[in-house]
């Protein structure tokens, strides 16, 4: 369990999603009360956290989370976890809270969606609640795809990062 998730446990218990928290040797055993809790913990919370951070940034014209984009000539959609517009520019983000977030497939998906809707004019972020441990290869691949990676340690500064990447992006929009 990530440190960020651990910090949420008392609030989650108070909200009534779980009624027992047992910790033993850095492992947590949670007794759930409400099935919706697991959907929230499995990643929806990070999308909402990103949405809230974008709203707090105060610079975006529009902000959406969990946005479905139709794939041309197919009966399917791609899902964007976070999308925000600023002065005719677009920022999109893929959010991964649990599981194995540092898979290049996530970067491939983000790049493919960006290429479909605006190419290098789209600011791309990969946001995870996980720490940067053993991620050098992933970070190199993200850099090659011009994707900014935001890790768990940076989440408290997410609003500032989103604003900065919109107004003075790490990678030039050409």
């Amino acid at each position: 369990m990530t440190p960020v998730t651990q910090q949420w446990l008392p609030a989650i218990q108070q909200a009534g999603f779980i009624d027992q928290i047992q910790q033993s040797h850095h492992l947590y055993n949670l007794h759930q009360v409400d099935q919706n809790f697991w959907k929230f913990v499995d990643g929806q919370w990070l999308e909402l956290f990103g949405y809230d951070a974008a709203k707090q940034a105060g610079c975006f014209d529009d902000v959406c989370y969990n946005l479905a984009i139709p794939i041309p000539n197919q009966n399917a959609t791609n899902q964007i976890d976070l999308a925000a517009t600023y002065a005719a520019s677009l920022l999109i983000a893929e959010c991964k809270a649990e599981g194995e977030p540092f898979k290049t497939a996530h970067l491939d998906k983000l790049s493919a969606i960006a290429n479909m809707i605006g190419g290098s004019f789209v600011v791309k972020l990969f946001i995870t609640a996980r720490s940067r441990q053993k991620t050098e290869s992933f970070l190199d691949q993200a850099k090659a795809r011009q994707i900014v990676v935001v890790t768990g340690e940076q989440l408290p500064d997410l609003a500032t990062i989103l604003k900065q990447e919109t107004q003075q992006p790490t990678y030039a929009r050409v």
Side-chain angles (χ1 to χ4, degrees), residues 1-13 18 21-30 37 41 45 97-98 129-130 155:
M1 187 173 299
T2 67
V4 173
T5 304
Q6 290 172 17
Q7 293 173 358
W8 283 69
L9 287 178
I12 293 167
Q13 186 175 22
I18 56 177
I21 303 171
Q22 298 172 342
Q23 180 184 4
S24 176
H25 305 291
H26 303 290
L27 298 175
Y28 288 83
N29 184 18
L30 309 176
F37 166 72
V41 168
W45 74 267
E98 295 295 328
R130 295 289 176 108
L155 287 181

Side-chain angles (χ1 to χ4, degrees), residues 87-104:
S89 64
L90 177 64
L91 175 146
I92 62 172
E94 178 76 5
C95 302
K96 294 296 174 200
E98 295 295 328
E100 296 180 39
F102 297 110
K103 289 185 176 181
T104 56

Side-chain angles (χ1 to χ4, degrees), residues 13-171:
Q13 186 175 22
Q14 187 175 17
F17 289 117
I18 56 177
D19 64 2
Q20 294 176 22
I21 303 171
Q22 298 172 342
Q23 180 184 4
S24 176
H25 305 291
H26 303 290
L27 298 175
Y28 288 83
N29 184 18
L30 309 176
H31 180 259
Q32 76 182 40
V33 174
D34 188 332
Q35 292 289 331
N36 290 323
F37 166 72
W38 297 113
K39 182 178 179 184
F40 183 74
V41 168
D42 206 23
Q44 187 178 20
W45 74 267
L46 189 56
E47 292 175 27
L48 292 171
F49 186 88
Y51 174 82
D52 185 60
K55 289 289 199 178
Q56 287 180 25
C59 63
F60 294 106
D61 302 316
D62 195 17
V63 180
C64 299
Y65 75 95
N66 197 19
L67 180 67
I69 296 185
I71 300 173
N73 303 320
Q74 295 181 22
N75 192 17
T77 60
N78 272 321
Q79 187 251 346
I80 297 176
D81 293 337
L82 177 65
T85 58
Y86 168 79
S89 64
L90 177 64
L91 175 146
I92 62 172
E94 178 76 5
C95 302
K96 294 296 174 200
E98 295 295 328
E100 296 180 39
F102 297 110
K103 289 185 176 181
T104 56
H106 301 310
L107 299 176
D108 293 339
K109 175 187 171 189
L110 189 56
S111 290
I113 292 171
N115 287 335
M116 183 176 72
I117 60 177
S120 61
F121 289 102
V122 178
V123 175
K124 303 173 290 283
L125 280 89
F126 178 81
I127 303 169
T128 181
R130 295 289 176 108
S131 66
R132 291 181 87 156
Q133 300 170 359
K134 301 179 184 177
T135 59
E136 289 309 312
S137 173
F138 182 84
L139 294 173
D140 290 342
Q141 292 179 40
K143 186 175 182 179
R145 292 170 176 83
Q146 297 187 340
I147 297 172
V148 175
V149 176
V150 178
T151 58
E153 298 87 353
Q154 298 169 293
L155 287 181
D157 301 319
L158 186 56
T160 303
I161 293 167
L162 292 170
K163 186 174 185 175
Q164 177 183 334
E165 288 302 327
T166 300
Q167 296 176 348
Q168 296 175 347
T170 300
Y171 302 106

